Amino acid sequence: MLSIKNLHASVEGKEILKGINLEIKAGEVHAIMGPNGSGKSTLSQVLAGNEAFEVTEGEVTLNGENLLELETEERAREGIFLAFQYPVEIPGVSNLQFLRTAVNAMRTHRGEPEMNAAEFMKLAKEVSKQVDLDPAFLKRGVNEGFSGGEKKRNEILQALLLQPKLAILDETDSGLDIDALKVVSDGVNALRAEDRAILMVTHYQRLLNHIVPDYVHVLAGGRIIKSGGRELALELEERGYGWLGIKEDEAAAAN
Amino acid sequence: MATTDKEVKELIKREYEHGFVTEIEADTFEPGLNEDVIRRLSKIKQEPEFMLEWRLKAYRRWLEMDDPTWAHVDYPRIDYNSISYYSAPKKKEDMPQSLDEVDPELLRTYEKLGIPLHEREKLAGVAVDAVFDSVSIGTTFKEQLAEAGVIFCPISEAVQKYPELVEKYLGSVVPAGDNFFAALNSAVFSDGSFVYIPKGVRCPLELSTYFRINAANTGQFERTLIVADAGSYVSYLEGCTAPMRDENQLHAAVVELVALDDAQIKYSTVQNWYPGDEHGKGGIYNFVTKRGACQGRNSKISWTQVETGSAVTWKYPSCILKGDNSVGEFYSVALTHNYQQADTGTKMIHLGKNTTSTIISKGISAGRSSNAYRGLVKFQPGAENARNFTQCDSLLIGDRCGAHTFPYIESRNKSAIVEHEATTSKVSDEQMFLCRQRGIDPEQAVSMIVNGFCKEVFKELPMEFAVEAGKLLEVSLEGSVG
């Protein structure tokens, strides 16, 4: 589904990704782990098409199509979804209006009729229950005054509504208490499907107790230095990043 | 925010959609202004003597005045003798007696603008007075309003039919010599709307005037006077458009509102005069004086404006809160794009006890435009326990535009309470990225973010116009991304 070859990317002239190679097939769940500053968030931003980052080398294809040539919104319509680490607020724009606009943009792209307000309200209410968000949140401004946990649940709500082909979750577990983590994980597990891939970016392995990945990759210094199965995450938890020759503080300082 | 070159070109190609010219025979005065022009104008309008005297007095005051220069706008000096002061569609005989007699070409013009005037297609629940260049061409729902005792007619008709009301209230809120443009308007105003709501009547329809400038090299100087007698209520809306022309055109209007005891006037404006092209060529100079007097106890005047058009806007809808417990409100969205300039805001003058005022101003600047809020909140010694709340928010799109806030507060009463909040924000790259990541077009994203920013003001508009205002913002913002 997703194929990344020798991807290099920089921000403000500084190279962050230094040759990433990764293959993700439909139905798979991949976890990317690594210390702070290793380039994890950059990878997710680059895949989603954030123009603050410049791709200097390499290629990325989604189902054979060159992803890097597409605008951000075109990538989204092709099925790339990014759950943000720090979702921004859009004051005055109701969550419901925002979500319906997004869902209808996707439907129009697929040649399906737009959903009217009543139909969408019904769907959105059902899905908000799934992530334990009071439907009252639908009427509030996008992320306006939401707590950290509510913002994260709102991201998963969006993924469930948009039904992407590839869902990228950027540090979705950060700032969540154990109950919220459970709710969010259940939401992500509900996304698992044969025709969908999930790419989780996380610093800690605790999320992986709830969402069990098929593959785990360790990112450090802008490269994937080790790949393995679920057991790699457990090993990292036990031994830290040090045994792979990574000094976490140094990596962070470099940024 | 990168859109491809092709997209940008397509966006720029989209133009002001009301920019067409109606080919119609018109009687137009030669350019130039002197006492004879005013006499001719007054004669055509068949005005009583007091009206002509009033105009001439205003003209003489105007001659002694200078263009105001204090506003944060920049435009070449206007040659007032190069403007024609009267233009009216030629009529087969006299004024049309009903809409059936109006030139079909004119009716088609209003239909194109989305304002059907035919009886069978009229806007439901809204009575419309359509002003084309210098004259009113027709008013809908006349009978229904007459039944309620409401007078809604062109001001030229009111001068003839209700001279005592006009003489009593005209200039009572905005005196002829109030300012340069008000004096000019008082001398040469040609038409506009007159509204009188009798005691205790709640006007059964929304009233609306639709102003259209068509002729070239003419100025539009409309005059609107609304009087709400004790215990009455009226909601009034005005809309404005003009053709695209390379020359700038002057629009200098005066609006006066009078609310007596327990009366309420809600005045809404959707202003979409031609703003000029993307290089700043052409467009309307919109120099307008709007003021309401809360004369009576417990009276209320509420101004809501959505300003997206005009090359230069100079406009401060204000309230004089004379009656005890009276309430003044000002809700404003002003959007500037390309080379547009706006200096707009309000004055709230508190005279009576327990008077309250609310100001919510939302300025949006895009392109290379300049957008200023200018406001005065004044408490006179008699304004015991008066209070004001002001909120001024500015939103910037791109980094070549400007937003300015000039709030003035004068308090001569210690019991007065003033709250002032102001914010400036940008449509952030993060907000745009979030919207686009969810599959939303950049243009639609900007429009959604801006609409969200304006929500507090839009909710004050009559329902059907709130939707229109949202769409208008969308059109006005086209080409602001890229």
Side-chain angles (χ1 to χ4, degrees):
Chain A
M1 174 178 280
L2 184 78
S3 168
I4 305 174
K5 290 198 177 104
N6 190 31
L7 181 65
H8 290 250
S10 54
V11 62
E12 289 164 5
K14 185 175 184 323
E15 189 167 63
I16 309 285
L17 301 183
K18 300 172 179 169
I20 302 270
N21 292 289
L22 185 62
E23 296 286 331
I24 299 178
K25 294 192 183 72
E28 293 177 350
V29 176
H30 289 241
I32 294 206
M33 301 186 67
N36 290 330
S38 57
K40 302 191 299 288
S41 277
T42 300
L43 177 62
S44 35
Q45 297 278 327
V46 166
L47 291 176
N50 188 340
E51 286 154 5
F53 298 89
E54 191 194 353
V55 174
T56 50
E57 207 183 327
E59 63 178 65
V60 181
T61 57
L62 180 71
N63 294 325
E65 201 181 347
N66 184 350
L67 197 66
L68 300 177
E69 275 181 359
L70 300 180
E71 294 286 344
T72 307
E73 59 275 14
E74 292 168 333
R75 297 185 196 192
R77 291 173 202 155
E78 290 300 327
I80 300 260
F81 178 92
L82 171 61
F84 289 85
Q85 183 177 4
Y86 304 110
V88 290
E89 300 187 357
I90 308 181
V93 176
S94 82
N95 219 5
L96 197 66
Q97 186 201 353
F98 172 73
L99 296 173
R100 185 156 79 96
T101 307
V103 166
N104 281 337
M106 305 290 186
R107 291 177 71 95
T108 304
H109 177 70
R110 293 193 298 257
E112 295 167 14
E114 293 198 348
M115 283 181 108
N116 67 34
E119 283 172 330
F120 184 75
M121 185 70 184
K122 193 164 168 269
L123 175 69
K125 272 187 174 167
E126 278 168 23
V127 178
S128 54
K129 274 182 212 145
Q130 215 178 324
V131 291
D132 200 25
L133 264 185
D134 188 322
F137 277 88
L138 295 170
K139 299 210 167 151
R140 289 179 39 186
V142 177
N143 295 317
E144 207 180 345
F146 286 25
S147 72
E150 287 158 354
K151 283 182 183 172
K152 293 296 172 72
R153 278 184 276 164
N154 199 28
E155 292 295 293
I156 302 305
L157 168 75
Q158 291 169 42
L160 289 165
L161 280 171
L162 294 171
Q163 297 283 311
K165 285 182 192 146
L166 172 68
I168 305 164
L169 314 175
D170 191 1
E171 305 271 3
T172 292
D173 55 326
S174 68
L176 294 184
D177 62 33
I178 196 72
D179 294 332
L181 184 65
K182 176 88 174 55
V183 171
V184 165
S185 309
D186 289 349
V188 175
N189 284 324
L191 273 176
R192 293 182 91 142
E194 292 219 339
D195 57 354
R196 177 175 299 130
I198 297 175
L199 179 61
M200 287 187 291
V201 166
T202 180
H203 187 87
Y204 300 104
Q205 100 84 29
R206 68 167 188 166
L207 179 68
L208 308 184
N209 291 333
H210 299 272
I211 309 164
V212 180
D214 301 306
Y215 300 95
V216 174
H217 312 274
V218 179
L219 188 65
R223 287 187 194 89
I224 288 174
I225 57 162
K226 194 167 179 65
S227 295
R230 163 94 216 275
E231 67 289 345
L232 179 56
L234 296 170
E235 199 166 354
L236 281 171
E237 182 175 52
E238 206 171 297
R239 301 173 63 180
Y241 287 105
W243 64 281
L244 290 168
I246 305 164
K247 285 184 188 145
E248 197 163 338
D249 291 346
E250 264 175 36
N255 271 283
Chain B
M1 278 155 267
T3 352
T4 64
D5 282 352
K6 188 168 143 266
E7 278 173 280
V8 170
K9 271 177 203 146
E10 273 169 19
L11 290 170
I12 288 171
K13 263 193 297 183
R14 275 190 256 169
E15 286 168 348
Y16 182 70
E17 67 175 324
H18 304 301
F20 58 90
V21 178
T22 307
E23 291 300 332
I24 194 154
E25 267 195 287
D27 280 322
T28 304
F29 281 11
E30 286 298 305
L33 183 56
N34 52 49
E35 293 202 3
D36 279 348
V37 167
I38 293 166
R39 285 195 170 94
R40 265 171 77 200
L41 179 68
S42 185
K43 198 172 174 194
I44 289 179
K45 298 275 178 192
Q46 299 168 17
E47 289 177 349
E49 188 60 25
F50 84 87
M51 202 60 250
L52 175 63
E53 283 310 313
W54 198 78
R55 287 178 182 278
L56 290 172
K57 220 171 121 188
Y59 174 66
R60 289 166 199 150
R61 283 293 304 275
W62 178 74
L63 284 177
E64 294 163 7
M65 299 168 104
D66 275 323
D67 287 63
T69 51
W70 44 263
H72 193 83
V73 294
D74 185 25
Y75 58 93
R77 242 187 126 75
I78 298 168
D79 176 4
Y80 293 93
N81 276 317
S82 71
I83 297 171
S84 166
Y85 288 84
Y86 183 79
S87 175
K90 232 176 214 166
K91 286 144 279 178
K92 300 270 167 354
E93 296 170 28
D94 279 317
M95 278 291 286
Q97 293 308 300
S98 78
L99 282 165
D100 300 338
E101 293 176 32
V102 171
D103 188 325
E105 186 61 30
L106 273 183
L107 294 181
R108 275 194 289 278
T109 300
Y110 281 90
E111 259 163 51
K112 258 195 201 170
L113 297 166
I115 316 284
L117 297 173
H118 279 300
E119 291 292 312
R120 61 194 141 80
E121 294 160 358
K122 286 179 303 197
L123 295 172
V126 183
V128 180
D129 182 20
V131 177
F132 191 85
D133 289 336
S134 303
V135 291
S136 166
I137 59 149
T139 309
T140 61
F141 287 107
K142 271 189 161 168
E143 298 77 18
Q144 209 174 327
L145 291 170
E147 262 172 51
V150 170
I151 301 172
F152 178 40
C153 68
I155 199 158
S156 55
E157 192 180 319
V159 169
Q160 294 167 20
K161 284 193 182 167
Y162 314 100
E164 64 296 339
L165 281 174
V166 173
E167 195 169 6
K168 182 171 177 189
Y169 290 109
L170 189 73
S172 69
V173 188
V174 179
D178 186 80
N179 66 68
F180 183 83
F181 297 113
L184 178 62
N185 173 285
S186 301
V188 302
F189 78 86
S190 40
D191 222 332
S193 294
F194 174 77
V195 177
Y196 175 78
I197 316 289
K199 273 184 191 150
V201 170
R202 189 180 170 89
C203 186
L205 295 164
E206 297 270 349
L207 302 184
S208 166
T209 303
Y210 196 85
F211 295 100
R212 171 78 178 166
I213 296 179
N214 188 61
N217 301 319
T218 49
Q220 184 160 4
F221 305 94
E222 89 261 1
R223 184 108 194 171
T224 297
L225 174 59
I226 299 177
V227 180
D229 213 326
S232 68
Y233 168 87
V234 62
S235 169
Y236 178 94
L237 183 125
E238 61 167 350
C240 332
T241 61
M244 291 160 55
R245 295 188 190 281
D246 287 348
E247 307 80 36
N248 295 103
Q249 276 182 286
L250 177 63
H251 170 258
V254 172
V255 175
E256 293 178 278
L257 311 182
V258 179
L260 302 180
D261 286 353
D262 303 299
Q264 268 191 49
I265 302 175
K266 186 175 167 61
Y267 191 106
S268 314
T269 305
V270 176
Q271 186 265 108
N272 185 24
W273 296 119
Y274 178 52
D277 69 10
E278 73 270 25
H279 307 296
K281 193 168 176 138
I284 301 291
Y285 292 153
N286 189 35
F287 301 152
V288 172
T289 305
K290 290 184 167 177
R291 195 174 302 152
C294 284
Q295 288 286 355
R297 295 172 59 86
N298 310 317
S299 57
K300 179 176 173 183
I301 288 179
S302 179
W303 298 101
T304 305
Q305 61 170 17
V306 177
E307 304 273 321
T308 61
S310 299
V312 182
T313 297
W314 180 100
K315 180 182 168 188
Y316 316 90
S318 304
C319 296
I320 298 168
L321 302 166
K322 195 172 168 195
D324 291 347
N325 313 321
S326 61
V327 178
E329 294 175 337
F330 174 74
Y331 300 99
S332 170
V333 167
L335 182 149
T336 54
H337 189 199
N338 295 325
Y339 287 84
Q340 281 177 276
Q341 306 173 60
D343 192 298
T344 185
T346 184
K347 286 190 275 187
M348 293 290 175
I349 314 293
H350 292 256
L351 301 172
K353 289 182 194 130
N354 306 317
T355 48
T356 55
S357 61
T358 304
I359 300 171
I360 310 276
S361 164
K362 305 275 181 178
I364 302 139
S365 329
R368 295 168 180 274
S369 68
S370 159
N371 201 329
Y373 167 81
R374 185 182 303 276
L376 169 67
V377 177
K378 191 169 181 173
F379 299 97
Q380 295 293 47
E384 284 295 317
N385 300 315
R387 61 190 303 162
N388 163 267
F389 172 76
T390 299
Q391 184 187 331
C392 283
D393 298 325
S394 307
L395 184 69
L396 304 172
I397 302 171
D399 52 14
R400 292 176 301 179
C401 52
H404 313 269
T405 306
F406 305 99
Y408 303 89
I409 299 167
E410 289 174 31
S411 181
R412 297 171 63 192
N413 188 308
K414 281 186 179 160
S415 65
I417 299 170
V418 194
E419 290 173 74
H420 186 101
E421 291 176 9
T423 65
T424 302
S425 54
K426 273 191 78 168
V427 173
S428 72
D429 291 349
E430 288 79 16
Q431 287 171 330
M432 286 300 289
F433 183 53
L434 169 61
C435 292
R436 294 177 64 191
Q437 210 300 304
R438 298 303 185 248
I440 300 169
D441 268 330
E443 290 273 319
Q444 202 181 356
V446 169
S447 151
M448 191 164 68
I449 294 166
V450 170
N451 266 290
F453 174 75
C454 302
K455 199 167 149 189
E456 284 163 282
V457 173
F458 285 173
K459 73 177 201 295
E460 298 297 327
L461 285 172
M463 244 267 268
E464 53 275 37
F465 295 109
V467 177
E468 196 188 332
K471 283 187 193 150
L472 188 57
L473 280 194
E474 206 167 306
V475 173
S476 305
L477 281 167
E478 272 169 8
S480 64
V481 182

